[in-house]
């Protein structure tokens, strides 16, 4: 039994008619809501529940005590063809309450009404204080075995496969907030290992705002919406955030990451993950090594540009969630390599002058290379979002033999906080027995009772030592793999509330990040600081933050100050010379294009055979084609029919990684401002539908590749797009155009289209 699905075969895929091209060369487009197409009329013939979609999976079936259960995969699912009460009693009616006559009062004896309403009243549990907005998926981790020389952790031995569940999240916003906000992203992975559960609870940024966990309530209170108005939601562009980080300057390095493009990822699939803290690995001989964990996406690191993110949040607030599940359904399974940076476990726990216990510092990859140790592939979305993604409980203290913590003061506080919060959110201490949290290793913990106890324990002696249960459970001896807290010699010390002097440098690594960016990335950072601080009301907050920017870089400080209309302060001392870390930049390499979405503009005048051919070629390349036309339904008929996935009214540029134009698309009848605000986009004449013009101009501004053939080339110049400019591919053969556009996509964006303002 496995908690993951392999890549679904084409034969298993199902789709609504809107998602499928008909006839020869048919391709399936992700997004079908169910495993079978819906009927127009309400079904009335009783039958068992439909199976889940091929791209979905549920937690592996293990008992509350970690025993693997030989049961059907749907053993936990609703069953039976008929509606019942929670006790399994069949019901004849669930549309009408029991009343004293058809117009009389409702009767208290209506047990079905009371059960249904009572359960509904208690459907919601408290959302997470942070990371409330989350998305999860099942997968598999395959170890290369390269970590075996530094750790005895069984799941990192050669060729071991371990089921995983991953949850991505934003930090600040509520559960109902938008996806594409400027924020840190959570990247938490639960490994269901044979030696117990290991949780790697990290973010998409390798550093954090604070050095000591006692400050965690402060940064969260500052970053959350103002308590009087509960605004702004899921944003850091407000006074309390900048008031805190400008005063508590150890936050400056993390703020630099958040103001960079890393703060608005294009996709969870194109996002790095970091364990943030330094951990300790233990090998078979008991020797120790310090380590930092990294997740490297196979598709490379890619982000949205700021205007694109703002449009996304209006057009599709679920953008990242939809992208992840559509990619899995389409068979473009997301993958990350797990890598480790290793350091000698010296007494001072320093490396090249960097304090490894300071969570606001990185060790550049050029100084300590990231060594790949395994590959994670996400293979299935959840079958039930609440049961899995909302109830999954992560904790950095969920460790396995071979991995231990260090004295990082932020990590030390997390070891208490995560356990404490699960007890409140999930209704008591038995949250590990919720299916998504159940270990895949035998559990004999002597813990008893409490809310929601699912296990039915045997025996009479849940204590040690005992003789009444034959002495069971026994502690593990030397011959059995067991968790051991690494014995560390502690220095003679005094009880204090202070940090070491090595924690005092708050600006040099923010400067390292800035110097490692390309000119276009620096432009984006400068613009982000200017926008965010421009949303603050208090001038004092802006002036205080400018003082920190002056300690990071002169050009950055001058540019932000100019945008705010404030004088730029001068640093008190010369800024240090530093070697940049190219690994921190997102620009300059090429990556696979799996799962990218290509918009193909067509209408009745298009060569539909060519459109169908291009759709097939896009699909064969591992990408998703979406046909955009004046209306829904289909273009043409018979063997030449092309199914339409988006109309001019429903499409927006942010859905697509690139756009292909097969025609100039004359103005459609519904291009009326009162029907669609996008129809008010400026257009010199009716030669091109204004919504297509807006689509093309936005793609051009956002650095996306654009391709055109035939009459489609005539749609470019009217909206100010030079056919000869960077990233615009024009030709006569649609296949050649697609090939060049795909090559451009491998660099994520057409970076040459941006004119850098900073060097």
């Amino acid at each position: 039994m496995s908690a993951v699905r392999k890549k679904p075969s084409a034969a298993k895929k199902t789709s609504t008619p809107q998602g499928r091209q008909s006839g020869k060369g048919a391709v399936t487009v992700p997004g079908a809501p169910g495993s079978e197409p819906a009927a127009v009329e309400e079904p009335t013939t009783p039958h068992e529940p439909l199976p889940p979609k091929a791209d979905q999976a549920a937690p592996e079936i293990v008992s509350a005590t970690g025993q693997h259960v030989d049961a059907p995969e749907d053993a936990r699912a609703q069953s039976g063809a008929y509606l019942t009460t929670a006790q399994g009693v069949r019901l004849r009616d669930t549309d009408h309450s029991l009343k004293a006559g058809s117009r009389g009062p409702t009767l208290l004896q209506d047990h079905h009404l009371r059960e249904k309403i009572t359960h509904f009243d208690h459907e919601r549990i408290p959302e997470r204080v942070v990371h409330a907005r989350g998305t999860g998926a099942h997968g598999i981790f395959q170890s290369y075995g390269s970590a075996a020389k530094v750790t005895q952790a069984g799941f990192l031995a050669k060729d071991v496969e371990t089921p995983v569940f991953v949850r991505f999240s934003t930090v600040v916003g509520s559960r109902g907030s938008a996806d594409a906000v400027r924020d840190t992203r959570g990247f938490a992975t639960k490994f269901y290992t044979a030696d117990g559960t290991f949780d790697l609870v990290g973010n998409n940024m390798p550093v954090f705002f604070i050095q000591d966990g006692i400050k965690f309530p402060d940064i969260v209170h500052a970053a959350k919406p103002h308590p009087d108005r509960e605004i702004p939601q899921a944003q850091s562009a407000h006074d309390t955030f900048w008031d805190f980080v400008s005063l508590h300057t150890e936050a400056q390095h993390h703020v630099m990451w958040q103001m960079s493009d890393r703060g608005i990822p294009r996709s969870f699939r194109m996002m790095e993950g970091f364990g943030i803290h330094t951990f300790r690995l233990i090998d078979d001989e008991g020797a120790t090594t310090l380590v930092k964990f990294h997740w490297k996406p196979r598709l490379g690191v890619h982000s949205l540009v700021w205007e694109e993110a703002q449009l996304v949040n209006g057009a599709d607030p679920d953008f990242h969630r939809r992208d992840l599940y559509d990619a899995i359904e389409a068979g473009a399974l997301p993958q990350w390599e797990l890598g480790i940076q290793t350091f000698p476990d010296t007494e001072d726990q320093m490396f090249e002058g960097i304090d490894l216990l300071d969570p606001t510092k990185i060790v550049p990859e050029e100084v300590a290379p990231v060594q790949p140790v395994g590959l994670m592939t996400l293979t299935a979305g959840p079958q039930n979002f609440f049961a899995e993604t909302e109830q999954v409980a992560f904790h950095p203290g969920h460790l396995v033999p071979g991995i231990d913590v260090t004295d990082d003061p932020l990590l030390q506080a997390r070891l208490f906080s995560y356990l404490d919060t699960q007890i409140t959110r999930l209704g008591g201490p038995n949250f590990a027995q919720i299916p998504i949290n159940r270990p895949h290793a035998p559990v004999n913990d002597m813990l008893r009772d409490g809310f929601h106890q699912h296990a039915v324990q045997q025996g009479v002696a849940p204590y040690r030592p005992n003789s009444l249960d034959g002495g069971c459970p026994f502690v593990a001896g030397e011959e059995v793999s067991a968790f051991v807290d690494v014995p560390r010699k502690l220095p003679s010390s005094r009880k204090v509330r202070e940090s070491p002097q090595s924690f005092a440098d708050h600006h040099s690594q923010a400067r390292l990040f800035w110097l490692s960016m390309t000119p276009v990335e620096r432009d984006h950072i400068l613009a982000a600081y200017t926008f965010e601080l421009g949303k603050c009301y208090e001038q004092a907050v802006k002036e205080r933050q400018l003082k920190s920017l002056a300690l990071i870089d002169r050009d950055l400080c001058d540019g932000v100050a100019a945008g705010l209309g404030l004088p730029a302060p001068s640093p008190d001392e010369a800024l240090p010379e530093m070697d940049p870390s190219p690994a921190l930049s997102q620009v300059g390499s090429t990556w696979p294009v799996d799962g990218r979405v290509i918009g193909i503009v067509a209408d009745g005048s298009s060569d539909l055979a060519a459109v169908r051919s291009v759709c097939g070629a896009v699909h064969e390349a591992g990408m998703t084609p979406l046909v955009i036309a004046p209306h829904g339904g289909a273009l043409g008929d018979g063997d030449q029919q092309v199914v339409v996935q988006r109309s001019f009214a429903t499409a927006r540029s942010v859905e697509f990684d690139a756009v292909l134009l097969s025609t100039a698309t004359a103005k459609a009848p519904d291009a009326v401002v009162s029907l669609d605000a996008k129809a008010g986009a400026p257009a010199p004449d009716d030669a091109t539908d204004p919504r297509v013009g807006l689509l093309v101009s936005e793609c051009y501004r956002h650095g996306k590749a654009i391709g055109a053939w035939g009459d489609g080339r005539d749609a470019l110049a009217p909206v100010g797009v030079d056919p000869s400019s960077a990233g615009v591919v024009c030709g006569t053969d649609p296949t050649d155009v697609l090939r060049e556009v795909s090559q451009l996509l491998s660099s994520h964006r057409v970076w040459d289209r941006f004119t850098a303002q900073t060097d």
Side-chain angles (χ1 to χ4, degrees):
M1 189 70 66
S2 174
V4 299
R5 296 278 194 279
K6 299 300 182 185
K7 181 175 177 179
S9 65
K12 291 183 178 179
K13 290 184 179 180
T14 58
S15 175
T16 59
Q18 180 178 343
R20 183 180 292 278
Q21 300 285 351
S22 62
K24 185 178 179 181
V27 298
T28 300
V29 172
S35 59
E36 293 185 7
V40 175
E41 301 296 331
E42 179 184 354
T44 56
T45 302
H47 58 79
E48 290 291 315
L50 296 178
K53 293 170 59 182
D55 59 289
Q56 298 173 336
E60 184 171 340
I61 300 179
V62 292
S63 73
T65 54
Q67 297 294 317
H68 290 258
V69 177
D70 184 13
E73 190 175 310
D74 61 355
R76 286 184 300 250
Q78 300 274 305
S79 61
Y82 296 97
L83 178 69
T84 72
T85 68
Q87 309 306 315
V89 179
R90 290 180 181 176
L91 293 164
R92 296 182 59 187
D93 188 312
T94 191
D95 297 327
H96 308 91
S97 55
L98 191 65
K99 296 183 282 289
S102 61
R103 297 175 61 82
T106 299
L107 301 179
L108 183 61
Q109 75 177 67
D110 190 344
H111 61 93
H112 176 45
L113 168 68
R114 284 186 285 116
E115 179 185 73
K116 187 175 181 179
I117 292 295
T118 299
H119 194 283
F120 170 77
D121 290 343
H122 296 84
E123 281 183 359
R124 294 293 175 264
I125 63 175
E127 68 176 31
R128 292 166 170 86
V129 177
V130 287
H131 298 278
R133 174 75 178 180
T135 304
H138 296 275
I140 198 81
F141 176 77
Q142 298 168 297
S143 174
Y144 300 153
S146 50
K149 60 182 180 293
V150 291
T151 179
Q152 60 185 259
F155 78 99
L156 291 175
K158 186 171 178 56
D159 296 332
V160 173
E161 289 195 357
T162 303
V164 298
F165 187 81
V166 179
R167 187 176 187 270
F168 305 105
S169 56
T170 53
V171 172
V172 176
S174 68
R175 188 180 170 196
S177 57
D179 276 348
V181 295
R182 183 178 295 282
D183 195 4
T184 304
R185 300 306 192 282
F187 192 134
T189 308
K190 185 176 290 293
F191 295 82
Y192 301 97
T193 87
D195 296 317
T197 299
F198 171 59
D199 288 347
L200 183 55
V201 193
N203 288 334
N204 73 323
M205 300 176 187
V207 293
F208 204 61
F209 290 103
I210 53 176
Q211 295 168 327
D212 193 310
I214 200 170
K215 297 300 296 179
F216 195 73
D218 298 296
I219 178 57
V220 173
H221 290 166
K224 284 286 188 177
H226 292 201
D228 53 350
R229 299 184 177 187
E230 190 66 12
I231 53 176
Q233 184 63 245
Q235 299 290 331
S236 54
H238 56 91
D239 286 76
T240 60
F241 175 81
W242 289 98
D243 182 45
F244 177 81
V245 300
S246 62
L247 289 168
H248 202 65
T249 53
E250 67 193 47
Q252 290 297 316
H253 188 196
H254 188 116
V255 169
M256 178 67 74
W257 280 76
Q258 191 157 312
M259 293 304 105
S260 77
D261 292 343
R262 303 269 187 156
I264 42 175
R266 158 63 181 84
S267 165
F268 294 136
R269 300 177 292 124
M270 305 166 195
M271 189 175 80
E272 280 186 299
F274 303 91
I276 301 171
H277 310 287
T278 300
F279 290 83
R280 180 170 280 111
L281 301 182
I282 309 98
D283 68 14
D284 290 329
E285 305 302 320
T288 60
T289 304
L290 298 182
V291 64
K292 286 183 177 289
F293 292 104
H294 297 248
W295 288 112
K296 296 288 187 181
R298 191 175 69 88
L299 299 182
V301 184
H302 184 31
S303 298
L304 300 169
V305 295
W306 181 232
E307 184 197 25
E308 189 181 14
Q310 292 174 302
L311 292 174
V312 163
N313 288 330
D316 186 4
D318 305 304
F319 183 75
H320 286 146
R321 181 177 295 183
R322 191 186 315 280
D323 172 88
L324 178 69
Y325 295 141
D326 280 358
I328 292 173
E329 184 182 355
L333 303 181
Q335 291 184 315
W336 291 259
E337 273 197 317
L338 179 63
I340 56 174
Q341 286 180 300
T342 58
F343 319 98
D345 191 357
T346 58
E347 185 175 352
D348 62 4
Q349 297 173 90
M350 303 280 288
F351 183 78
E352 300 290 333
I354 300 169
D355 193 329
L356 297 175
L357 300 186
D358 183 349
T360 68
K361 302 292 193 300
I362 65 167
V363 179
E365 294 182 26
E366 292 77 15
V367 177
V370 176
Q371 307 164 51
V373 299
L375 179 70
M376 179 172 71
T377 304
L378 298 187
T379 57
Q383 287 185 8
N384 185 280
F385 197 90
F386 174 82
E388 299 167 65
T389 306
E390 279 304 300
Q391 293 195 122
V392 66
F394 295 96
H395 176 30
H398 290 165
L399 302 164
V400 291
I403 303 176
D404 199 4
V405 299
T406 60
D407 295 334
D408 175 335
L410 176 60
L411 176 57
Q412 292 284 311
R414 293 178 75 197
L415 293 173
F416 172 83
S417 177
Y418 278 67
L419 181 62
D420 187 52
T421 193
Q422 308 302 353
I423 293 173
T424 297
R425 282 196 71 246
L426 299 175
N430 291 311
F431 60 85
Q433 296 182 18
I434 295 171
I436 191 64
N437 296 321
R438 291 180 179 178
H440 293 190
V443 175
N444 196 346
D445 54 19
M446 296 194 301
L447 305 177
R448 292 294 185 268
D449 306 338
F451 284 110
H452 310 300
Q453 176 61 254
H454 291 255
V456 182
Q457 292 100 346
Q458 298 174 322
V460 296
Y463 51 83
R464 272 194 50 82
N466 77 75
S467 64
L468 298 182
D469 283 344
C472 188
F474 302 91
V475 295
E478 292 290 333
E479 72 285 356
V480 179
S481 175
F483 183 82
V484 176
D485 296 282
V486 176
R488 295 281 300 173
K489 182 180 178 180
L490 300 178
S492 60
S493 60
R494 57 192 179 89
K495 187 166 57 177
V496 296
R497 290 187 184 272
E498 61 184 42
S499 294
Q501 184 58 36
S502 56
F503 278 37
D505 175 12
H506 297 165
H507 295 95
S508 67
Q509 287 218 328
R511 176 167 174 75
L512 169 67
F513 187 88
W514 169 262
L515 294 176
S516 302
M517 296 295 102
T518 60
V520 66
E521 290 172 301
R522 293 185 189 181
D523 280 352
H524 293 169
I525 293 172
L526 193 156
Y529 273 107
T530 305
F531 176 88
E532 297 257 326
L533 288 166
K535 289 288 187 176
C536 292
Y537 180 87
E538 295 289 350
Q539 290 290 96
V541 171
K542 303 175 188 179
E543 294 173 9
R544 191 187 310 131
Q545 178 59 32
L546 286 174
K547 291 182 179 180
S548 269
L549 296 185
L551 297 174
I552 296 171
D553 186 82
R554 180 79 261 172
D555 290 339
L556 173 61
C557 182
D558 289 349
V560 175
L564 298 176
L566 294 173
S570 298
D572 297 330
E573 55 191 44
L575 300 181
E577 294 295 326
M578 308 185 76
D579 293 328
S581 172
L584 297 176
S585 173
Q586 299 184 42
V587 179
S589 298
T590 58
W591 296 272
V593 296
D594 301 24
R596 296 305 183 92
V597 179
I598 309 297
I600 304 170
V601 177
D603 63 12
S605 68
S606 300
D607 180 346
L608 297 184
V611 171
R612 287 172 56 80
S613 177
V614 168
C615 286
V618 170
H619 188 73
E620 287 299 314
M623 300 182 286
T624 298
L626 296 180
V627 174
I628 312 165
H631 54 75
L635 297 173
D637 50 32
D639 291 341
Q640 295 303 311
Q641 187 181 76
V642 172
V643 176
V644 174
Q645 284 81 37
R646 298 290 187 273
S647 68
F648 296 165
T650 61
R652 196 68 194 251
S653 65
V654 293
E655 292 185 86
F656 313 109
D657 295 290
V659 169
L660 304 178
L661 301 164
S662 71
T663 179
T665 61
K667 185 174 181 179
D670 66 340
V672 180
V673 177
S674 60
L675 298 177
D676 183 355
K678 300 194 299 296
D685 50 42
D686 291 344
T688 300
D689 189 288
R691 295 161 298 182
V692 173
L694 181 64
L695 176 76
V696 172
S697 62
E698 286 178 351
C699 286
Y700 187 81
R701 285 203 309 276
H702 301 159
K704 296 179 180 180
I706 300 170
W709 64 85
D711 293 342
R713 292 171 290 188
D714 298 335
L716 300 174
V719 294
V721 174
D722 184 347
S724 64
S725 59
V728 180
V729 181
C730 294
T732 56
D733 186 335
T735 303
D736 291 340
V737 171
L738 174 62
R739 184 183 304 109
E740 290 190 49
V741 166
S742 298
Q743 291 173 351
L744 291 167
L745 274 176
S746 68
S747 298
H748 292 319
R749 290 192 193 276
V750 183
W751 297 107
D752 292 344
R753 200 177 289 162
F754 297 98
T755 302
Q757 304 298 313
T758 57
D759 292 315

